[in-house]
Amino acid sequence: MRQRAVLEPSDDAWIHVRDGRRLAYRAAGPAGGFPVVYLHGAIGSPRWRTPQLDAVIARAGVRYVVVDRPGFGGSDPSPGRTVAAFARDVEDLADALGFGRFSVVGVSAGAPYAIACAWAHGARLVATAAVSAVAPPSGPGGSRSLRYRVPTLAFGSPRAGALLAAATLRALGVHGETATPAMVEDYLVCRRPWGFDPAAVRTPVMLWHGAADPLIPATHALRLAAAMPECAPSLERGAGHFFYSRALERIIAPLVPAAA
């Protein structure tokens, strides 16, 4: 049975999703604001709350909900999960919080999950934004580039994967704030079949990508965008992979309906 948590602004909270797992989330912004669900990258969301974000969501009238994927934060693991399966968790969260229609934004490894929500819940979503999106491993919009295959081999090794994840988290200054097994699994999930075809996404998706992204080339993002019939790509000139925080207002504003 799904449970609804009592939520104060920015407090940690959780629900039980349909299979009994615990799904953790946090929120900020006015309680009556328009809901925008944020889907984090592979390092989780240890430092998601910033004064800049608070200012943007206050101006936009947004209730900003940050949800931890399985294994991250207070969310229970879900062995064998797929990208598509997480769309059900998001649906359970939206139901528990009483959201009718809402928007989603996914960044980096979170972008495939945002696209999965557009595929699964298109009629319920007002808008979807995919930022610095990881490409699927095959099929329409997919890429089997060595850029992805080499890290996949490393992450697939229990010892090497843990070492690589720990080194990445240290380099980003968040070691000890994100569980390395969760990061490893999240990368591997994105490099397995997603459980849906991006070409089957029939609702609009705004795809934002840094033109100078050294981690995921813009050509890969444009290939993914071309696979989705209703996708509008936007390349940020001179931007790398981690530009979301510098473009918050431009990305979040279109996620809010005019009448909100």
Side-chain angles (χ1 to χ4, degrees):
M1 178 179 179
R2 281 169 271 173
Q3 297 179 1
R4 182 169 181 174
V6 176
L7 179 66
E8 295 299 330
S10 79
D11 279 358
D12 291 346
W14 54 271
I15 64 166
H16 279 136
V17 294
R18 65 190 72 184
D19 64 4
R21 285 180 293 108
R22 190 160 106 159
L23 185 73
Y25 67 97
R26 287 143 290 163
F34 181 77
V36 173
V37 178
Y38 170 78
L39 307 177
H40 60 70
I43 65 169
S45 54
R47 301 178 187 174
W48 65 277
R49 188 98 185 256
T50 65
Q52 182 188 12
L53 174 67
D54 282 348
V56 168
I57 61 178
R59 285 195 294 271
V62 161
R63 184 62 164 172
Y64 193 80
V65 180
V66 178
V67 56
D68 287 329
R69 285 193 293 281
F72 287 91
S75 291
D76 293 332
S78 179
R81 67 184 175 91
T82 63
V83 170
F86 189 67
R88 293 193 293 270
D89 288 358
V90 173
E91 180 182 35
D92 287 351
L93 179 63
D95 288 347
L97 297 180
F99 298 159
R101 302 194 72 202
F102 59 100
S103 292
V104 295
V105 54
V107 177
S108 190
Y113 299 94
I115 297 170
C117 288
W119 166 75
H121 313 307
R124 193 171 179 182
L125 294 185
V126 168
T128 302
V131 184
S132 302
V134 176
S138 59
S143 174
R144 297 189 61 80
S145 166
L146 284 174
R147 177 182 298 272
Y148 304 117
R149 282 189 282 166
V150 170
T152 299
L153 288 173
F155 277 121
S157 164
R159 178 169 173 76
L163 291 173
L164 178 59
T168 302
L169 294 171
R170 277 194 297 271
L172 295 172
V174 293
H175 187 248
E177 299 180 57
T178 294
T180 53
M183 179 182 177
V184 170
E185 182 195 31
D186 209 54
Y187 186 86
L188 294 176
V189 169
C190 285
R191 298 312 301 161
R192 294 197 293 262
W194 286 2
F196 70 97
D197 186 342
V201 178
R202 300 295 176 180
T203 54
V205 174
M206 295 174 283
L207 190 146
W208 301 77
H209 208 87
D213 189 334
L215 301 180
I216 304 170
T219 52
H220 295 190
L222 292 174
R223 190 182 305 143
L224 174 59
M228 294 184 282
E230 299 294 329
C231 184
S234 178
L235 291 183
E236 293 287 298
R237 182 179 299 176
H241 190 69
F242 301 103
F243 73 92
Y244 175 65
S245 62
R246 298 193 300 275
L248 281 171
E249 192 124 34
R250 286 185 293 115
I251 294 173
I252 289 177
L255 301 178
V256 182

